[in-house]
Amino acid sequence: MPSIRDLKKDVNFVLGDIIEAVYIWEAGSGNKESEEGTVIIDKAIAVFDELMGKIHQKEVKDSKAHFKDIRSQLEVKATELVEELNNLAS
């Protein structure tokens, strides 16, 4: 099983890349600090806070299942954010 440190890095990198993609979209489209971009960034930060809170839970019965669930939540929520970003680009 991958380490907790790797899971934290994955959360950080995936959501950081989404935020960076929003900034790139804003720069490319001329919509500096757009409302749509701000909403996606705020959602990404909320997902980061939520997942990190779950990673740091101390009282977990089945840690392997717990971290597997966190990884799947990251995948689902990141996909949703990327779809929102793709909708902005089109």
Side-chain angles (χ1 to χ4, degrees):
M1 181 172 135
S3 70
I4 295 172
R5 183 178 357 154
D6 289 341
L7 180 57
K8 288 180 185 179
K9 285 181 181 180
D10 288 346
V11 170
N12 192 28
F13 289 144
V14 168
L15 297 174
D17 285 347
I18 291 170
I19 291 171
E20 183 179 354
V22 171
Y23 289 137
I24 292 170
W25 171 80
E26 287 179 339
S29 67
N31 292 331
K32 299 275 185 198
E33 298 182 24
S34 67
E35 281 188 43
E36 301 92 348
T38 303
V39 168
I40 293 173
I41 291 170
D42 289 344
K43 286 181 181 180
I45 292 169
V47 169
F48 176 85
D49 291 341
E50 175 189 343
L51 294 178
M52 286 305 213
K54 289 181 180 183
I55 289 171
H56 289 111
Q57 283 180 342
K58 298 292 182 194
E59 305 279 328
V60 178
K61 291 184 180 184
D62 184 2
S63 62
K64 187 174 182 178
H66 177 72
F67 292 120
K68 187 174 183 179
D69 181 54
I70 292 171
R71 191 169 295 280
S72 67
Q73 286 179 29
L74 171 62
E75 187 176 324
V76 168
K77 292 179 182 195
T79 302
E80 291 171 2
L81 290 170
V82 168
E83 287 174 0
E84 287 183 39
L85 179 59
N86 289 339
N87 289 337
L88 293 179
S90 54

